[in-house]
Amino acid sequence: MPTPIAGLSAWVRGLLIVLAVLLLAAAGFGLHRVFGPGGTATAPAGPAGPRTADRIVPAPLAATAGPGPGYRLSERTAVRVEGAGEQVAEVRRIAERLADELRRPTGYPFEVTDGGPGDGIRLVLDPALPAETGAEGYRLTADAEGVRITALTPAGLHLGTRTLRQLLPPQIESRVPVTAGPPWSVAAVSVEDRPRYAYRGAMLDVARHFFTVAEVEGFIDRLALYKINYLHLHLTDDQGWRIEIPGRPALTAVGGGSEVGGTPGGFYTAADYREIVRYAQERYLTVVPEIDLPGHSNAVLAAYPELDCTGSARPWPYTGIEVGFSTLCPAGEAVFAFTGEVIAEIARLTPGPYLHIGGDEVRAVAPEAYRDFVRRVGAQVLAAGKTPVGWNQTAPAAGPGGVGLLQYWDGKGRDQDVRDAIGRGAKVIMSPAGRTYLDMKYEASYPLGLRWAGTIDVRSAYSWDPDTLIDLPAGSVLGVEAPLWTETLDTPERLDLMLLPRLPALAELGWSPKAGHDWTGFRQRLAEQGARWTAAGFGYEKRSEIPWPAP
Ligand code: TNX
């Protein structure tokens, strides 16, 4: 049957087809919201096409594909800093770091300049942005003229640059020149973004196995990709003490020299620790140091046996993985002199607002004595100018003058204690072991990790809501954290296998609006992160739940 256009001349037919294609393209690329509360993603462009905003992890608050071809980086692309006031120097440092990251794979010079006309990547501090943009929000637009990131703060600009990297092809993560690379293009887009929670953390246990400064910095690199803003370091435990304290040399001389399995361990000098803090800060992560008290303290008891008044110490070195046996003497001036010295030094070395005092799994002390101990140590932390953080067992000691922030990890019927503490003014970080513990196995047969809190595949790491997992008053959850305990993890390669791909699941719960959470879309976006990790030289576990593209 002849179609209605069959009778027209070939020329007119051609014109109609071109018009139809243009109309379809306009409908597809028109101001279409790809993410937003309850929004859905548009179909992703093919792997070779420019990367669109529907591929970002964690998903932004809102992203709109723009008209036109977007922006292509070239030899002439400059990074331009705009704004006035004292924060401009910091924006310049962000620009320098972005330029440096882009130079390595592309080979382009990426000159950093002040404002000026012309195309390029613009970082703009804009006090006229709406207040709801907040301390970490940003806007990013890309069109043929370039990329423009605006924010109220340098932190917001930095986070915008993390999104920009995800809008470029995966090879942009390469630390070495990419010779046969793709075009370095960003699709036309407009992104508006800010986090759901102020606290998005990950913890590394450097006590069960020690990790060097360079290895911790590598860990920070992985967190920074996903807008994680707190690094909690578990610095002390039964198997080792990992930070130098002046006046208490045996802590490291004795307690630093071993780890799980009996290998040599190690510790950080004050300079090492400051370097970790600096590296984290440069990537807008705040270090939260943890000194675990009064339990998990066998290394202290080995170094200073006079602090053991209950006879809880095991012979040193303790290289096993049992928990809950050791405790410092819960009372007496000698123990508080010790905790006071340690807290003062850690507070002195730490610019961030928090100091974690542990408080978990103390089986050898009666509840009253435990509560009084935690209160007193909490007061020492406050006197040192920091907010005390404790695992949820410290809830009875939380409130004014004591622990201000609880890290929720085990249910065990203690939820009411947490609610009571919230009633006294405490806030909560959600780290439920069965969802966020990155040392749990993916499945029972997985060779690494533990399984006391169950197995955690990527889907279960993603499919829960920090606000409602337990019944808490609205507004009491400050954020989320994924702890990585290292009883079974002794190399950075093994850390990677547990961290990736589960960390991005937690990062998205912490950053993206709840209404946009969607496993089907998330696993698609996560699949594309694999090529980024490979380009960056990061290992990951190729879980079959994720539709990784064929190599
Ligand atoms: C529980 S969670 C612990 C740690 C262990 C971890 C192993 C918490 C506060 N305590 O001491 O390393 O389980 O998964």
Side-chain angles (χ1 to χ4, degrees), residues 177-509:
V178 177
T179 39
W184 301 110
S185 302
V186 182
V189 72
S190 165
V191 176
E192 183 189 339
D193 205 6
R194 58 176 179 266
R196 178 180 182 192
Y197 294 111
Y199 189 110
R200 305 171 305 280
M203 188 205 83
L204 183 62
D205 170 8
V206 294
R208 270 54 175 272
H209 280 103
F210 179 69
F211 293 89
T212 64
V213 171
E215 288 165 348
V216 174
E217 292 180 347
F219 189 75
I220 293 170
D221 289 340
R222 283 121 175 105
L223 308 187
L225 284 177
Y226 298 104
K227 302 186 172 86
I228 297 293
N229 62 351
Y230 284 90
L231 170 67
H232 169 182
L233 286 177
H234 184 73
L235 290 166
T236 69
D237 215 299
D238 290 319
Q239 299 86 347
W241 181 282
R242 308 296 178 206
I243 178 121
E244 192 178 54
I245 303 290
R248 296 284 179 171
L251 284 174
T252 44
V254 175
S258 183
E259 60 184 8
V260 168
T263 30
F267 66 90
Y268 307 120
T269 63
D272 289 339
Y273 179 79
R274 281 191 201 277
E275 163 57 19
I276 293 171
V277 167
R278 184 203 63 77
Y279 191 92
Q281 233 169 8
E282 206 173 77
R283 287 150 186 81
Y284 291 85
L285 279 97
T286 300
V287 170
V288 180
E290 179 187 353
I291 304 295
D292 203 345
L293 301 165
H296 291 269
S297 53
N298 208 61
V300 181
L301 304 181
Y304 296 100
E306 65 273 22
L307 299 178
D308 180 13
C309 61
T310 65
S312 69
R314 298 243 175 118
W316 184 257
Y318 178 69
T319 61
I321 66 168
E322 271 176 70
V323 295
F325 58 87
S326 59
T327 184
L328 296 184
C329 199
E333 289 318 300
V335 79
F336 294 113
F338 170 79
T339 56
E341 285 168 46
V342 170
I343 286 165
E345 173 66 1
I346 301 291
R348 190 179 74 82
L349 297 175
T350 304
Y354 299 119
L355 202 160
H356 201 309
I357 56 172
D360 55 319
E361 298 175 317
V362 187
R363 301 204 184 113
V365 179
E368 284 267 292
Y370 168 82
R371 198 192 54 208
D372 292 348
F373 176 92
V374 175
R375 278 221 185 109
R376 183 132 176 214
V377 171
Q380 290 180 322
V381 172
L382 284 166
K386 305 293 177 189
T387 297
V389 188
W391 295 104
N392 62 250
Q393 281 91 342
T394 64
V403 170
L405 189 57
L406 294 171
Q407 186 163 11
Y408 180 91
W409 67 284
D410 74 337
K412 300 209 181 127
R414 285 192 265 258
D415 296 2
Q416 189 56 44
D417 287 354
V418 174
R419 282 189 286 274
D420 291 346
I422 289 167
R424 298 191 298 273
K427 296 260 188 235
V428 182
I429 302 163
M430 291 301 290
S431 295
R435 299 290 189 165
T436 67
Y437 270 31
L438 296 173
D439 64 319
M440 291 301 120
K441 293 173 181 290
Y442 291 93
E443 61 188 338
S445 63
Y446 192 71
L448 301 173
L450 303 173
R451 55 178 298 203
W452 64 264
T455 56
I456 306 178
D457 58 15
V458 187
R459 183 170 191 165
S460 95
Y462 183 76
S463 308
W464 62 285
D465 176 14
D467 272 348
T468 58
L469 184 82
I470 59 171
D471 183 20
L472 296 175
S476 49
V477 175
L478 188 64
V480 291
E481 184 179 298
L484 184 46
W485 302 99
T486 58
E487 285 95 333
T488 66
L489 307 168
D490 54 352
T491 64
E493 290 74 23
R494 289 180 166 175
L495 297 183
D496 268 350
L497 294 176
M498 304 307 267
L499 192 70
L500 302 175
R502 288 184 294 195
L503 175 78
L506 187 279
E508 181 147 313
L509 291 182

Side-chain angles (χ1 to χ4, degrees), residues 80-121:
R80 302 179 187 279
V81 173
E82 280 180 31
E86 58 203 37
Q87 288 179 310
V88 170
E90 192 176 339
V91 178
R92 219 167 207 284
R93 287 196 289 277
I94 294 168
E96 291 288 357
R97 206 162 38 253
L98 175 67
D100 189 51
E101 288 168 351
L102 299 176
R103 277 175 203 135
R104 279 176 275 165
T106 63
Y108 302 152
F110 289 102
E111 187 198 352
V112 176
T113 71
D114 288 331
D119 69 348
I121 300 167

